[in-house]
Amino acid sequence: MRLVGVDMKNEICEIIHNKELTLGVFEMIFRSENIAALAMPGQFVHLRVNTGLYPLLRRPISIHSVDKTKGTVAIIYHIVGKGTEEISKQVTGVIDVMGPLGNGFPKLAGKKCAVVGGGIGVAPLLELSKSLSHCDAYLGFRNCTYKVEAFENSCNKVYLTTEDGSAGHKGYITDQLKKNITEYDVVYTCGPKIMMKKVMEICQLNNVECYVSLEERMACGIGACLVCACKIQEENGEWHHKKVCKDGPVFNAKEVLFDD
Ligand SMILES: Cc1cc2nc3c(=O)[nH]c(=O)nc-3n(C[C@H](O)[C@H](O)[C@H](O)COP(=O)(O)OP(=O)(O)OC[C@H]3O[C@@H](n4cnc5c(N)ncnc54)[C@H](O)[C@@H]3O)c2cc1C
Ligand code: FES
């Protein structure tokens, strides 16, 4: 039975591996038959970072891929502070995980799709790209690249850019998307706000449906504390707040207001 809302239970999961892919970016695989069976592309897990009291709050990390046969789940994370640093130190043993949480990407049958990821934002797009019948990937990085091969194995075409030109085209991934946008019915994106805002504008100009995966700081992760509120526009034009953890993290781009 699926556990939802404030009743969501945590699970103690065996860590299978936790390795550095490139400078400061790690992949962890842990065992959870429950999460592997239930997870939908775009959902996330909420991790307790260690057994101590600091940092107290769990950290949300997207589900990168699942292996339902083995009952394992992979996440990719970037060390940006104490929580992610603590997670990176747990090479063996167990980790306390809540999930799968949130609403994933809607899959629209028979559509030509593109996934557009920037940096660590590529992580939640792999499982989605595997589940779509026609999907191209647009992957943008600053300098170090990761998981490009996995996208090559699951997508029709992969467009790669780096800001320093060390791999793929030199420049921004949004410039590549702009050239090909008329080929797509739907675009799914995750990455830095500035990139997602640009993707959203390109889609709007070309009447292409667009879904964005938002990142906000979180506390409970299950809709109980309001820490993750974001501004959403209804069809009647009125603005109000929704919870990224429970109503998202994926939203239709038409609803989202990105602050400048
Ligand atoms: C739904 C969701 C999915 C996510 N998926 C991934 C993922 O797949 N891989 C990954 O590396 N990260 C992901 N994140 C971001 C990740 O949760 C944060 O990087 C992490 O919580 C930072 O914890 P920390 O203790 O290391 O850093 P902190 O010390 O808490 O913060 C370090 C710096 O990062 C900023 N920061 C922290 N959390 C966030 C956030 N949620 N949004 C924007 N800035 C933040 C802080 O403002 C600060 O500048 C996701 C966040 C959300 C909400
Ligand atoms: S993190 Fe508590 S409501 Fe979203």
Side-chain angles (χ1 to χ4, degrees):
M1 190 181 72
R2 172 124 197 239
L3 298 162
V4 292
V6 289
D7 291 330
M8 177 58 77
K9 296 271 191 313
N10 57 314
E11 215 183 306
I12 306 300
C13 302
E14 178 199 353
I15 295 170
I16 294 168
H17 90 207
N18 193 11
K19 288 186 193 154
E20 193 163 22
L21 296 175
T22 185
L23 207 63
V25 176
F26 283 68
E27 177 181 63
M28 177 190 278
I29 299 184
F30 60 85
R31 194 178 306 284
S32 169
E33 284 177 14
N34 180 46
I35 298 173
L38 296 172
M40 303 296 289
Q43 288 190 295
F44 67 96
V45 287
H46 215 20
L47 305 175
R48 182 144 179 218
V49 301
N50 57 27
T51 51
L53 285 178
Y54 177 76
L56 187 61
L57 295 177
R58 289 171 181 270
R59 296 297 193 263
I61 302 287
S62 302
I63 293 170
H64 170 58
S65 65
V66 295
D67 186 327
K68 289 187 195 291
T69 315
K70 292 184 183 161
T72 59
V73 180
I75 56 172
I76 311 250
Y77 61 96
H78 192 194
I79 299 188
V80 295
K82 181 74 179 157
T84 42
E85 190 191 342
E86 286 293 310
I87 295 169
S88 74
K89 290 181 192 162
Q90 301 184 46
V91 180
T92 56
V94 292
I95 185 156
D96 182 334
V97 184
M98 259 169 66
L101 299 176
N103 292 309
F105 294 103
K107 277 183 274 170
L108 307 167
K111 303 278 186 181
K112 284 182 133 192
C113 306
V115 295
V116 184
I120 206 72
V122 305
L125 301 174
L126 180 67
E127 203 56 38
L128 174 68
S129 70
K130 285 195 218 163
S131 69
L132 297 167
S133 53
H134 179 106
C135 180
D136 292 341
Y138 290 78
L139 311 177
F141 297 92
R142 279 219 174 98
N143 40 33
C144 306
T145 65
Y146 36 88
K147 291 290 168 180
V148 176
E149 209 182 315
F151 281 93
E152 283 168 349
N153 292 335
S154 64
C155 295
N156 296 47
K157 284 188 210 155
V158 174
Y159 299 88
L160 176 66
T161 59
T162 48
E163 287 177 29
D164 68 354
S166 56
H169 284 275
K170 184 173 183 189
Y172 296 117
I173 199 61
T174 44
D175 294 333
Q176 296 292 313
L177 177 71
K178 204 170 170 182
K179 284 185 199 160
N180 305 337
I181 187 68
T182 52
E183 293 176 23
Y184 304 111
D185 303 309
V186 190
V187 169
Y188 303 93
T189 186
C190 183
K193 268 190 184 162
I194 188 162
M195 184 206 82
M196 291 200 290
K197 194 175 170 197
K198 187 78 193 162
V199 170
M200 196 174 99
E201 285 164 5
I202 294 168
C203 290
Q204 268 169 3
L205 274 174
N206 292 278
N207 285 322
V208 173
E209 201 159 352
C210 178
Y211 292 90
V212 298
S213 180
L214 298 186
E215 274 192 19
E216 285 296 336
R217 294 207 68 129
M218 287 185 182
C220 72
I222 52 174
C225 72
L226 298 176
V227 160
C228 66
C230 70
K231 230 174 164 187
I232 291 292
Q233 187 175 36
E234 293 292 342
E235 274 181 22
N236 64 11
E238 278 179 22
W239 290 99
H240 66 102
H241 285 93
K242 279 196 177 176
K243 299 163 189 169
V244 171
C245 66
K246 197 149 188 278
D247 303 313
V250 176
F251 292 93
N252 190 316
K254 293 194 283 217
E255 301 176 307
V256 175
L257 179 68
F258 284 111
D259 300 325
D260 287 317

